[in-house]
């Protein structure tokens, strides 16, 4: 998004239901270390839901058309203005039936994220969600294979170290014996 799309800042944010806090887990663009200064607030009870919390809880994109004049952006307004950030979209990324991650994308333009842009960014988030799902499946498959190998090894050791003689045969042919 930053290199190809020219956006000044893009982040994948993890939102913890337990703590109610969000933290960037990946980012591109903007000066190093600035991501915490421009991170949209996750919870501002006196002003309503924050941008990330809104996107995650609703399961829908949350857009801030004017960072400078949006009350939800007050805690990070100064840093955002210094970086020239004017608008923001935050799109939830479902994973394993839950939404703990969001894709946050900033623009230098006011009200940049129109309906067409929102659809495109939702597609990006859907692609990220699909890729994460495939990675989860692959990790699960590898873990199951490892568990099977461990189980087979334990069974093999049990049989080979048993003081009782055991053998396996097929049609009268001995295939295995623990001599």
């Amino acid at each position: 998004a930053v290199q190809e799309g020219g956006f000044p800042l893009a982040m994948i944010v993890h939102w913890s239901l337990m703590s109610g806090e969000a933290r960037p887990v990946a980012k591109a663009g903007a000066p190093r270390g600035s991501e915490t200064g421009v991170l949209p607030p996750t919870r501002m009870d006196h002003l309503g839901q924050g941008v990330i919390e809104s996107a995650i809880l609703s399961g829908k994109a949350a857009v801030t058309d004017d960072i400078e004049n949006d009350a939800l952006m007050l805690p990070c307004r100064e840093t955002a203005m210094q970086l020239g950030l004017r608008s923001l979209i935050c799109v939830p990324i479902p994973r394993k039936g839950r939404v703990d991650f969001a894709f946050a994308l900033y623009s230098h333009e006011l009200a940049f994220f129109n309906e067409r842009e929102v659809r495109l960014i939702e597609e990006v988030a859907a692609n990220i969600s699909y890729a994460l799902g495939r990675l989860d499946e692959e990790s699960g498959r590898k873990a199951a294979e490892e568990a099977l190998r461990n189980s087979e090894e334990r069974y093999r050791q049990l049989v080979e170290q048993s003081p009782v003689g055991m053998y396996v045969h097929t049609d009268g042919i001995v295939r295995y014996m623990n001599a």
Side-chain angles (χ1 to χ4, degrees):
V2 172
Q3 287 181 337
E4 299 295 324
F7 289 96
L9 179 61
M11 292 187 285
I12 301 292
V13 180
H14 178 253
W15 187 74
S16 170
L17 182 61
M18 301 279 284
S19 69
E21 295 177 356
R23 69 177 172 81
V25 292
K27 82 162 190 87
R32 187 169 171 78
S34 65
E35 67 272 8
T36 53
V38 295
L39 185 63
T42 60
R43 185 176 305 244
M44 296 180 63
D45 295 332
H46 63 289
L47 296 173
Q49 290 182 337
V51 178
I52 291 173
E53 185 178 13
S54 177
I56 288 175
L57 293 178
S58 72
K60 297 179 181 176
V63 177
T64 296
D65 287 327
D66 184 356
I67 290 173
E68 185 174 17
N69 295 304
D70 188 331
L72 289 176
M73 300 302 291
L74 182 61
C76 57
R77 179 180 300 151
E78 184 177 332
T79 304
M81 293 296 98
Q82 289 172 357
L83 296 171
L85 306 175
R86 299 294 182 250
S87 58
L88 158 70
I89 184 170
C90 190
V91 181
I93 301 173
R95 184 175 184 194
K96 295 181 180 180
R98 296 177 25 187
V99 179
D100 294 329
F101 293 88
F103 178 48
L105 189 60
Y106 293 79
S107 174
H108 286 303
E109 296 179 34
L110 287 170
F112 178 81
F113 301 103
N114 59 37
E115 192 175 310
R116 180 177 169 267
E117 294 293 330
V118 170
R119 277 196 316 270
L120 287 172
I121 295 163
E122 286 174 333
E123 285 180 32
V124 169
N127 289 339
I128 293 169
S129 178
Y130 175 77
L132 290 173
R134 297 297 302 194
L135 288 171
D136 291 340
E137 289 173 11
E138 182 65 14
S139 293
R141 184 187 64 76
K142 286 182 178 181
E145 287 176 355
E146 180 67 21
L148 179 60
R149 275 192 296 278
N150 291 340
S151 175
E152 288 172 344
E153 179 62 26
R154 283 192 311 273
Y155 180 73
R156 183 178 297 108
Q157 288 176 359
L158 175 70
V159 169
E160 289 176 357
Q161 295 172 6
S162 174
V164 176
M166 294 182 211
Y167 68 94
V168 176
H169 71 89
T170 307
D171 298 327
I173 301 171
V174 175
R175 304 287 181 187
Y176 173 82
M177 185 173 10
N178 71 335

